[in-house]
Amino acid sequence: MTMPMYVSPEQQMKDRADYARKGIARGRSVAVLRFAEGICLVAENRSQSLHKISEIYDRIAFAAVGRYNEFENLRIAGIRHADLRGYSYDRADVTGRGLANAYAQLLGTIFSSGMEKPYEVELIVAEIGDDAGSDEIYRLTYDGSVADEDHFAVMGGEADAIAERITALRSAKGIGDEASLTECVQIAVAGLAGERTLGVDSLEVAVLDRSREQQRKFRRLGDAELTEMLS
Amino acid sequence: MSDIGLPSDFLRGGSSSFTEFLRRVAPEQLPGRELAGGGQVPEVPHGTTIVAATCADGVVMAGDRRATAGSMIAQRDIEKVFGADDLSMVGIAGSAGIAVEMVRLFRVELEHYEKIEGTLLSLEGKSNRLASMIRGNLAMAMQGLVVVPLFAGWDAQAARGRIFSFDATGGRYEEHGFHTVGSGSVFARGSLKKLHDPGHDIDTTVMALLQSLHDAADDDSGTGGADLQRRIFPVVMTATADGVRRLSDDEVGRRVDRIITGRHLRPDGPAAPVVTTSGADADDHGEEEAR
């Protein structure tokens, strides 16, 4: 009978984290920024039909990088969670924090269980409130840790480099969270692109817009609108 | 239901239907579920008359504001016409408690599908979903708690307004021109027969529907007329290519005031000609007779 080789728990966790990180690093990035009227989500995505950004509920949006089938599964679970909550209680009782907690629990359990392979995904749960002060951007990583991001969040392959570029662009233009939507999209696209140029057909952009009259504040930006913003 | 975390049921594959998901994880929350069983059904509020008509620019739906429990008026300002999503609307007659729950579930169902699939259901698809919900209520209907919805909306593919009616077994029927449901529906239908024209614009169609509700309230004790003292008016919604819109109380109030002024002169409402004399929409038979 062969004995299983001993692997220390530290090594095990490190191996699993490396595995997940490698998977995520292969993907194209997503940037989520605050602007005056809400939160703007920008993804580099060459597919017009396989979305990385999605509506979850009235004021809550979802963005993800990594393995498509895994985050698609999480997205659907999130919509089910939100819709069930809203149906059982009230629309006002569905919160981004509740959803971020649910995701964190799930990702954390899977990461440390050892039974399944860890999810190769990173998620952002964005929620807008009645004013800019109550907007929230939660960033979740493959191991279930949650961070509450102040101004913007970037995830994916070159997250750090892109975050640096966005910080530099924001300070160079002297604009912060009170930026207009157009400024915000321009900065995000420039940050994601770096040396390259990103065309409208390789971008997926959506906003949670407080100024929208409808109950559902999520809106995708069409190609025409995006072209105008970037010109 | 579980409040924290995402149970494995949430991650399981399945359809894009919220109702089916609810049936799997929290069946006790389905409309009317807990009520199914024997025994006498207590007297509960019933919604009364809903009318809908198509026109050149889309479709209009209106409902009176009364709910009755037996011979008593249970509520005088109940709302029975709702926007189901951006392009469709649903009106309810019958057992109000279950019907309102059903509409709530139906709205979540449509939104859920839209979010998961990234596209809107077709108008036919939406009406089929509603039909299957009504079918699920059959046990309750057998005990007398019938829900009779009327569904209408803008069909983006066909670029026109369409109306669907249902029976208690979930049978679904497309209606052409106009349709009415509820206790006052017979009177409203007779009225619309004379007043409705598919070529009319939205404004005229709204007026025709308000007239038909007035006629229903005139002859049916369950249907509420315009409450001028409290300024409670029928709910009127329109569905066009631009989406669903509810007319404000002011807009409806002005029209109702005009109708009432007219009925001071002729209490039975506008008179229709006894023979069709001309016009593109007159059928051959009618024209023959007119000559």
Side-chain angles (χ1 to χ4, degrees):
Chain A
M1 194 181 121
T2 51
M3 291 283 285
M5 207 177 17
Y6 173 76
V7 184
S8 72
E10 290 88 346
Q11 188 60 43
Q12 243 175 41
M13 287 300 133
K14 193 175 165 303
D15 287 351
R16 291 172 76 81
D18 284 346
Y19 172 80
R21 264 201 293 267
K22 261 185 217 155
I24 294 162
R26 279 196 290 269
R28 298 181 213 282
S29 303
V30 176
V32 178
L33 295 85
R34 289 164 189 256
F35 72 104
E37 290 299 333
I39 295 171
C40 159
L41 306 98
V42 183
E44 184 183 349
N45 187 353
R46 290 177 198 275
S47 167
Q48 297 292 309
S49 51
L50 305 174
H51 295 304
K52 289 183 173 179
I53 297 170
S54 162
E55 173 185 16
I56 296 280
Y57 211 65
D58 292 352
R59 295 166 165 271
I60 305 171
F62 169 97
V65 293
R67 272 181 95 93
Y68 178 78
N69 68 319
E70 291 179 350
F71 70 67
E72 175 67 5
N73 234 347
L74 290 171
R75 181 182 79 90
I76 291 173
I79 293 173
R80 287 173 169 170
H81 170 92
D83 278 345
L84 181 58
R85 230 168 195 247
Y87 179 73
S88 312
Y89 302 116
D90 185 73
R91 293 194 84 91
D93 299 316
V94 181
T95 62
R97 192 174 52 82
L99 183 66
N101 278 335
Y103 279 140
Q105 288 223 355
L106 179 75
L107 290 170
T109 310
I110 288 172
F111 181 76
S112 52
S113 76
M115 302 293 287
E116 295 173 66
K117 75 165 198 63
Y119 273 33
E120 298 160 66
V121 294
E122 267 185 47
L123 313 178
I124 283 176
V125 174
E127 179 183 34
I128 55 165
D130 292 332
D131 51 60
S134 44
D135 291 354
E136 301 281 0
I137 300 174
Y138 300 102
R139 180 178 161 176
L140 294 111
T141 48
Y142 52 86
D143 59 355
S145 49
V146 195
D148 187 354
E149 304 280 351
D150 281 335
H151 305 293
F152 67 91
V154 185
M155 50 186 189
E158 305 156 38
D160 293 338
I162 294 167
E164 265 172 40
R165 283 202 288 269
I166 291 180
T167 313
L169 282 165
R170 275 162 63 104
S171 60
K173 293 195 177 184
I175 43 180
D177 297 343
E178 73 294 338
S180 72
L181 178 58
T182 307
E183 289 170 328
C184 187
V185 171
Q186 283 169 353
I187 289 176
V189 172
L192 287 173
E195 308 282 289
R196 304 167 298 155
T197 34
L198 287 178
V200 169
D201 52 350
S202 53
L203 286 170
E204 181 185 354
V205 183
V207 287
L208 285 169
D209 185 349
R210 226 189 319 282
S211 62
R212 236 170 110 81
E213 261 178 46
Q214 290 94 322
Q215 198 168 27
R216 291 161 69 183
K217 307 293 182 191
F218 181 89
R219 181 170 70 91
R220 286 185 191 282
L221 268 56
D223 282 357
E225 197 178 351
L226 211 50
T227 310
E228 201 187 307
M229 278 182 177
L230 295 176
S231 61
Chain B
M1 68 175 277
S2 162
D3 279 345
I4 46 164
L6 295 168
S8 58
D9 261 339
F10 285 53
L11 288 157
R12 252 174 56 188
S15 73
S16 316
S17 163
F18 181 74
T19 315
E20 280 166 33
F21 173 67
L22 195 63
R23 192 169 294 135
R24 204 169 69 204
V25 302
E28 73 283 358
Q29 294 194 36
L30 288 167
R33 171 79 175 215
E34 306 270 279
L35 302 166
Q40 179 95 39
V41 176
E43 201 136 89
V44 290
H46 271 65
T48 48
T49 310
I50 306 290
V51 293
T54 58
C55 61
D57 309 314
V59 54
V60 186
M61 188 182 280
D64 75 310
R65 302 291 290 273
R66 182 171 289 179
T68 56
S71 62
M72 202 177 68
I73 294 173
Q75 200 182 341
R76 60 176 99 254
D77 61 351
I78 192 174
E79 297 191 355
K80 296 178 290 191
V81 177
F82 306 90
D85 65 0
D86 284 347
L87 289 174
S88 64
M89 50 208 177
V90 56
I92 46 161
S95 187
I98 300 174
V100 168
E101 276 302 286
M102 201 179 276
V103 167
R104 219 162 68 85
L105 180 60
F106 182 55
R107 293 167 79 169
V108 179
E109 173 86 18
L110 298 187
E111 186 188 322
H112 191 77
Y113 181 94
E114 183 190 339
K115 289 190 289 198
I116 286 188
E117 296 290 327
T119 55
L120 283 170
L121 266 172
S122 66
L123 194 69
E124 295 252 0
K126 291 173 197 171
S127 68
N128 272 324
R129 292 309 309 162
L130 186 56
S132 81
M133 276 182 199
I134 298 162
R135 204 169 298 126
N137 190 56
L138 189 58
M140 308 293 305
M142 304 287 266
Q143 293 181 33
L145 297 176
V146 184
V147 177
V148 193
L150 189 58
F151 179 70
W154 176 257
D155 187 330
Q157 275 109 44
R160 65 189 171 94
R162 297 172 73 183
I163 302 171
F164 295 91
S165 70
F166 306 86
D167 66 27
T169 61
R172 180 188 70 112
Y173 314 96
E174 178 161 11
E175 303 292 343
H176 298 279
F178 58 90
H179 195 68
T180 59
V181 294
S183 62
S185 60
V186 190
F187 308 110
R189 197 173 305 173
S191 174
L192 274 178
K193 229 180 229 178
K194 304 292 169 237
L195 297 177
H196 171 258
D197 185 329
H200 279 157
D201 60 7
I202 288 270
D203 225 37
T204 316
T205 310
V206 169
M207 212 59 180
L209 288 179
L210 287 172
Q211 291 279 17
S212 74
L213 280 178
H214 196 106
D215 282 329
D218 210 15
D219 289 315
D220 169 42
S221 61
T223 305
D227 191 333
L228 294 174
Q229 290 78 42
R230 298 187 184 82
R231 304 297 288 171
I232 299 169
F233 302 115
V235 175
V236 182
M237 293 186 104
T238 62
T240 60
D242 299 330
V244 166
R245 191 174 89 85
R246 179 177 166 168
L247 269 64
S248 71
D249 272 353
D250 254 14
E251 289 173 287
V252 181
R254 272 201 307 275
R255 289 175 171 85
V256 168
D257 287 340
R258 268 182 64 200
I259 288 177
I260 300 217
T261 314
R263 295 221 177 204
H264 279 306
L265 303 171
R266 191 171 187 284
D268 292 336
V274 287
V275 282
T276 312
T277 46
S278 64
D281 47 66
D283 58 21
D284 294 337
H285 184 65
E287 267 180 1
E288 250 170 46
E289 272 190 355
R291 287 187 199 111

